[in-house]
Amino acid sequence: MEEIDSMKEEEIMVQGQAEVYKYMFAFVDTMAIKCAVELRIADIIHSHGHKMMTLSQIATKIDSSSSPHTNYLERIMTFLVRRKIFTAATSPGGETLYGLTPISRWLLHDTELSVAPIFLLQSNPILMAPWHYFSSCVREGGIAFKKAHGCDIFEMASKDEEFNKNFNNGMSSTTRNIMKAIIKSYKDGFNSITSLVDVGGGTGVAMSEIVKAYPHIKGVNFDLPHVVSTAQKYEGVYHVGGDMFETIPPAHAVFLKCVMHHWGDEDCVKILKNCRKAIPEETGKVIIVDAVLKLGGESLFDDMGFISDLAMIAYSNGGKIRSEDEWNKLLKEAGFPRYNIIDIPAWSLIIEAYPQ
C-alpha cells in the first residue's frame, strides 16, 4: 500500500513538473501566433479560395525580400497545427496541406471582426516589457510601465507615432467586436438618448457604430487631442479633443467603454463626477462597458477578467478590474446611487448608472 501511495505521489509530482514547464513556455504560443499574423498566413490561405495549401504554396505568397526559410516555416506551422490554430491533412501526393480553423479566422487582417491588430499590440515589445517588473512592483510599489519605459502608456503613445498607430489599431479592432455584442444585446438602451458622448472613444469607431444603428443620436467622440487628430470622419460623429479629468462635453448620456479599468478608484471618481456634470439630472445616464470580476465565475469570458486585472498592473497607473461590490462603492461615491448590470456576449458587461 505504501508503495502504491509512493507511486501516486511520484506521478503527481511529475505532473506538477510538466505543468510548470507548460507555463514556463506559455510565451511560445504567443510568439508563434504573432509570427503567423505578421506573415499573414491566415490571409494567404483565405485568399486561396478557402482551399487548403501546401507549405511551398504558402511560402511563395509571403511578402519577403528573399526566399522564405521553409524549414522554419514548417516547424512553426507544425506547432500551430498542434495548437489547433491551423488544420493539417495529407494530399494524395503525400504533401501536408494547411487550412483555417475557427481560431485562425479571427486572425485575418482585412475582416471587420479581426483581432489581428490587438494581437500585434499585446505582443508588441513595448507592452511586453512591463510584465518583467511585477516582482519589482510587489517589492517597491510603483508603476510597471513607467519602470520599463520612464513614462506612462499614454505619454508613450503621444510621442511614438508607430506605437500610437499600433495602439489605436488594436483598440479599434477590440471596439468593433465589443460593439457588435453591444448593438445586438443593448437594443433598447439607446432608443431614448438624443445625444451621446463617448469618453475615451479613441478614433471614433464605437460612436460610429452606435450612430449607424441609431441615426437619431448626435454622437460626440471625445479623447485626447493627439488621438482624435488621427480619427477619420464618420457621418453623424463629431470629434472633440480634451481631458476627461477636467471637463466632459454635455450630452444626454455618457458612454465609457473599457476606460475605467485603466484608472485607480480616486481617478475613476473624478471621471464619473465629470460625467455626472455632463448629463441631465433627471433623465441622464452613464453607460459603462467594462469587466466585472467574478471570483467563482466559470463562463466563457470570466477568466479574461483575471488576465485583464494583471494587465492593468503592467500597463496602467493603478487601474484594476473590479467586482460588483467595488463598482457599487465607486458609483455611489461619484453620485450614482442606482445602477443596472446587463450581460453581453463579450468579456465586458454593460453597467447603466443613474444620478437619481
Side-chain angles (χ1 to χ4, degrees):
M1 190 67 177
E2 288 182 6
E3 185 177 346
I4 293 173
D5 289 342
S6 178
M7 289 174 63
K8 286 183 177 180
E9 177 66 22
E10 186 175 342
E11 287 176 7
I12 291 170
M13 290 301 293
V14 171
Q15 178 65 35
Q17 182 190 47
E19 291 293 317
V20 168
Y21 276 108
K22 182 181 76 173
Y23 292 124
M24 185 191 309
F25 291 106
F27 71 92
V28 175
D29 293 43
T30 301
M31 293 299 105
I33 296 172
K34 180 184 182 182
C35 171
V37 173
E38 290 178 331
L39 295 176
R40 292 179 172 255
I41 292 174
D43 298 270
I44 289 170
I45 298 172
H46 184 261
S47 65
H48 194 61
H50 302 274
K51 297 178 182 178
M52 300 181 79
M53 299 179 71
T54 66
L55 193 77
S56 59
Q57 287 175 323
I58 293 171
T60 60
K61 298 292 184 180
I62 291 174
D63 183 17
S64 175
S65 59
S66 60
S67 299
H69 198 296
T70 54
N71 178 260
Y72 289 162
L73 179 61
E74 182 178 20
R75 288 153 68 183
I76 291 167
M77 290 299 290
T78 299
F79 179 83
L80 292 175
V81 168
R82 183 174 176 82
R83 288 293 186 264
K84 297 181 171 58
I85 309 300
F86 297 100
T87 62
T90 305
S91 73
E95 288 187 281
T96 301
L97 298 168
Y98 298 96
L100 300 178
T101 68
I103 300 175
S104 49
R105 290 182 188 280
W106 286 95
L107 301 176
L108 296 167
H109 282 78
D110 301 321
T111 59
E112 185 182 1
L113 300 180
S114 171
V115 300
I118 190 64
F119 199 100
L120 291 176
L121 173 62
Q122 292 295 343
S123 55
N124 186 305
I126 290 175
L127 287 194
M128 296 293 286
W131 293 89
H132 295 278
Y133 289 83
F134 272 30
S135 58
S136 174
C137 287
V138 170
R139 290 191 181 103
E140 308 159 4
I143 298 165
F145 197 94
K146 281 190 175 180
K147 285 176 179 286
H149 300 295
C151 64
D152 68 28
I153 193 168
F154 300 111
E155 290 177 275
M156 176 67 76
S158 69
K159 66 185 183 181
D160 187 322
E161 186 176 342
E162 187 61 31
F163 178 69
N164 186 47
K165 180 181 177 181
N166 194 202
F167 184 86
N168 288 335
N169 286 342
M171 293 299 102
S172 294
S173 74
T174 302
T175 293
R176 289 188 183 93
N177 285 297
I178 292 178
M179 288 311 302
K180 182 182 179 182
I182 291 170
I183 297 297
K184 182 179 179 180
S185 305
Y186 194 53
K187 294 178 180 177
D188 299 324
F190 298 111
N191 282 337
S192 60
I193 295 172
T194 56
S195 60
L196 181 68
V197 57
D198 184 1
V199 175
T203 55
V205 173
M207 185 55 72
S208 71
E209 293 296 320
I210 293 170
V211 171
K212 190 188 303 179
Y214 300 88
H216 70 277
I217 293 177
K218 176 187 175 182
V220 175
N221 178 59
F222 181 69
D223 211 313
L224 294 168
H226 78 268
V227 176
V228 296
S229 66
T230 65
Q232 70 180 79
K233 292 183 179 179
Y234 296 103
E235 187 175 349
V237 177
Y238 302 88
H239 296 292
V240 178
D243 186 343
M244 63 186 174
F245 290 105
E246 294 180 3
T247 185
I248 290 170
H252 192 191
V254 170
F255 190 67
L256 286 163
K257 182 192 64 61
C258 303
V259 171
M260 304 296 280
H261 63 246
H262 285 285
W263 304 96
D265 291 347
E266 186 177 336
D267 285 328
C268 284
V269 169
K270 288 180 184 177
I271 296 167
L272 287 169
K273 284 184 175 180
N274 284 339
C275 290
R276 200 177 190 283
K277 292 175 185 176
I279 60 175
E281 182 73 22
E282 295 182 359
T283 59
K285 67 177 175 179
V286 173
I287 305 164
I288 301 168
V289 179
D290 220 311
V292 177
L293 203 63
K294 300 176 183 177
L295 293 180
E298 295 183 358
S299 65
L300 194 59
F301 289 101
D302 280 337
D303 202 48
M304 276 300 300
F306 296 92
I307 293 169
S308 299
D309 190 43
L310 294 190
M312 291 306 98
I313 297 176
Y315 309 146
S316 75
N317 298 355
K320 61 181 179 179
I321 303 299
R322 295 172 172 86
S323 66
E324 183 174 348
D325 286 343
E326 289 174 315
W327 276 113
N328 182 31
K329 181 181 178 182
L330 202 67
L331 291 168
K332 284 183 177 178
E333 188 176 345
F336 293 92
R338 187 165 62 93
Y339 70 91
N340 180 40
I341 294 181
I342 301 167
D343 282 316
I344 59 174
W347 71 274
S348 297
L349 304 174
I350 294 173
I351 305 172
E352 294 178 313
Y354 300 92
Q356 288 191 7

